[in-house]
Each structure stands twice: as structure tokens, then as C-alpha cells.
Amino acid sequence: MWRDLSAPGKYRGCTVFLDSFEKKIDMIPGGDNRQMTVERCLNQCNKKKHTYAGLLGGTQCNCLNFTGPMDSLHYVPTSQCSVPCSGDPTYNCGGRNSTFSLYRTKVPDSRCSKISLKPKGSMPLIGLASFPRSGNTWTRQLLEHATGIYTGSIYWKAERRKVGSKIFLGGNIPFDTGSTLCTKVHVFNAQMIKTFHRGTILLLRNPYRAIVSEAFRSHKGVKGAGKKFVKSRAFHIFAGWTRFVRKHADRWLGTAINWCRKSSRLLVVNYEDLQENTSEELMRMIKFLKQPLDMTRITCAVQELPSSQSTGVSLGSFGLRSKTYLTFDPFTKRMHERLDGHIATVNATLIRYGHAPLPNYEEAGR
């Protein structure tokens, strides 16, 4: 049975422990005993002001700092970190063959933790457009850590009440003040597109997955009704599912083709590419935003905000699973026909306007 941990920390994944890698890090022992727990290791590493805690062999704790500009974390399948913690077998504490369970402590990483607003009117108004649940929040965090400049949102009034004060400080101010790097936007009417005439980054995600993710969000994710919603295969029976898919499929289509056709300056980024090649896609966006490439900050940003594809897990705080995925196809044949038609339309539009085609979605949602 999972339980909350008393020490602040977030599980990152199972990481290879190499001799050459060890030389690039500042590592000190955090303990080696027969009563090792994740809490004990995290508490030790937080006290020692280290950014990571690595557990090995069920009993060993190492506190780590990644201080070099090009250091990177190399994740392996979680099955290689399957040794139970000696003091709490509910959790795993690394493997027996030079692999360790890696946790992020609460200590800020000085390489990319300093983020600020620019002077009013000094930044061009650049959009970060997407259909909901397409990686906009993650992309904003990556860009902020990589450039040191806060991002904004056209929904700043609502964001100020919710996440602005904790996550996106740029969301505390009107989006058009010219103080932020780029601005979150989910709408695609002509006036809004014209507002961002200096440029827009368009994030596109597999519509099957984006729509399912939006359905989870609408039904409170994986908690309460959401959990019952998934287990009961209720996608087929909840009131309005057919209407929900039609509405959001058309919205996904509208987002893609309107920004593509009407934007005067556009960079298209596929969420799947950002997951697979985070550093490369992040650098593409920074160049488009005409900001300098600081490789120390970029490396730090990718380490601080890793993709689930790179780590092999999609976990939240304390190693608890934070997402639930469908094990069945909730889309009817007619829904597939509609979505596949929209994908073909977007693909043709992208190619017509000089952009690369979408990734292969042939098996999407199945």
C-alpha cells in the first residue's frame, strides 16, 4: 500500500550508475544501513543541500549534484531498479547492477532556478498556441528554465488565482505588457491570431491522446469520479461522449489549420517530438524566440523537467503514479473516421504552408 513520504522529493526514475558518470557529479554518502528508506535518504540529501538522492542496492543512499554544463541523466527501464528498500519494502531502492532509484530533492538547481520578468515593453508578443492537453504547461516550464524569462497567458486573470502565484509568475500580469517570453493561448479566432503577428509557436499533439486527456481532466483525472470513469469503460456510455469527441476533434482541427493558414510567422512543434528529443526541440523554440542558447540552462531545464518518454515512467511526487492510461479503444468507427480525416487535412495544410508533416498517427488511439 502506497503512503505519503514525510520528506520533500519527487521520483525521477531508474538511472545507470557509471564510473565515467560518477566523475561528473558531486557525490557524498548519505547512509548505508539495513533500515534504509526513501524518506531517510531524502532527508539526508536535503540537509546536505544536494539536488538529487540516489538509492542503490536496497541499503545505500548517495546525495548528488550535477554541476557540469553538459551533464545528463541516463534513464533505464524501472525493472532494473527492483531491490526493495531495507527499511520499507513498499518502495524500491535501486538495483544490484550499478543502477539507482533517483529522487529530486527540494534544493533548487542554481543553474536554471533564477527566472524573472523583463522590463515592460521590452519583449515582442509571441504566442504559444495549442489545443488543450498538448503540452503547453510543460513547454512553458521548459522555456522558462532554459531562458530565465517568465512566460505569460491570455488567461492571466484566472491563472493569477490558481497557478500564477506558485508556478507561472508571468501569469500574474496582463499578457500584453511585453514582459514575458511567450504567451499561452488555446483560441484561434482571427483577432487573436492577429494579436500575435510577431510570431507563434504551435504545439500539436496526437488528437486521440489529447482528447482522452481532456476527458480525464473534465472528469477530475484519476481521482473520484475519474477513476470510476476509466474502470467502468464509461467513455462509451457517459452522457455526451459522442458530442464531446465531435466538439473537441473539430476544435483540434481548427487550432491547427487556422494558426497555420493565418499566422504571419509560425514554428510548428509536435508534442511527440518534444517528448523524444527534448533538448533539440527546445533549442528550436529558443532560436525562434530569438534568445541566446545557454547550454548550461538548457541541460538543466531538461533534467529538471524530463519527459515521461526519457524516464520511462509517468510519476508524480514520491514515486506515486500520477496518470492512468486507457487499456481499450473508446472511439467508435465513426469517431475514427472523423479524426483520421482531420489528421489528413492538417497534414495537407502543414505541407502546403511549408511545414513538416505530422508524426505517424496510424495506430493512434487504438
Side-chain angles (χ1 to χ4, degrees), residues 5 85 149 163 166 234 253 358:
L5 300 177
C85 300
I149 307 171
V163 299
K166 296 181 179 180
L253 174 68
L358 295 168

Side-chain angles (χ1 to χ4, degrees), residues 115 140-151 168 297:
I115 306 170
R140 288 176 68 185
Q141 291 176 309
L142 282 169
L143 286 169
E144 289 185 352
H145 282 75
T147 65
I149 307 171
Y150 282 120
T151 61
F168 297 116
R297 290 196 72 110

Side-chain angles (χ1 to χ4, degrees), residues 207-208 211 245 249-250 252-254 256-257 261 332-350 358 361-362 364 366:
Y208 285 97
I211 289 172
V245 172
D250 291 351
W252 180 86
L253 174 68
I257 64 174
R261 290 173 178 172
T332 65
K333 180 180 179 181
R334 184 168 294 182
M335 292 174 184
H336 275 291
E337 291 172 350
R338 188 181 197 90
L339 280 165
D340 290 347
H342 286 357
I343 290 170
T345 299
V346 170
N347 233 353
T349 304
L350 288 170
L358 295 168
Y361 293 157
E362 184 176 356
R366 292 173 171 81

Side-chain angles (χ1 to χ4, degrees), residues 212 215-216 219 221 224-242 244-245 326-332 335:
V212 167
F216 281 174
H219 288 74
K227 192 171 184 179
K228 183 178 180 181
F229 175 64
V230 174
K231 286 188 174 181
S232 67
R233 301 170 70 93
F235 278 88
H236 289 297
I237 60 176
F238 91 82
W241 172 237
T242 300
F244 184 94
V245 172
L326 289 177
T327 57
F328 61 94
D329 181 2
F331 299 96
T332 65
M335 292 174 184

Side-chain angles (χ1 to χ4, degrees), residues 5-11 30 36-48 50-55 61 63 102-107 318:
L5 300 177
S6 59
K10 293 183 178 181
Y11 179 68
M36 181 56 64
T37 65
V38 175
E39 294 103 317
R40 182 189 296 271
C41 187
L42 277 169
N43 278 323
Q44 288 292 323
C45 296
N46 276 315
K47 289 179 181 178
K48 296 175 186 295
H50 278 55
T51 52
Y52 288 90
L55 294 113
C61 171
C63 302
L102 191 70
Y103 283 78
R104 181 67 172 87
T105 69
K106 67 176 182 179
V107 179
F318 317 128

Side-chain angles (χ1 to χ4, degrees), residues 256-300:
I257 64 174
N258 279 282
W259 282 103
C260 192
R261 290 173 178 172
K262 299 176 182 178
S263 183
S264 57
R265 179 171 174 260
L266 186 71
L267 176 70
V268 178
V269 176
N270 291 300
Y271 173 80
E272 292 76 15
D273 292 338
L274 188 59
Q275 280 268 325
E276 185 172 356
N277 301 300
T278 307
S279 295
E280 291 81 356
E281 293 300 305
L282 182 56
M283 286 190 284
R284 284 183 65 222
M285 289 187 281
I286 294 171
K287 289 179 181 178
F288 180 82
L289 293 165
K290 298 182 179 180
Q291 295 298 313
L293 293 176
D294 184 331
M295 294 310 300
T296 298
R297 290 196 72 110
I298 291 170
T299 302
C300 177

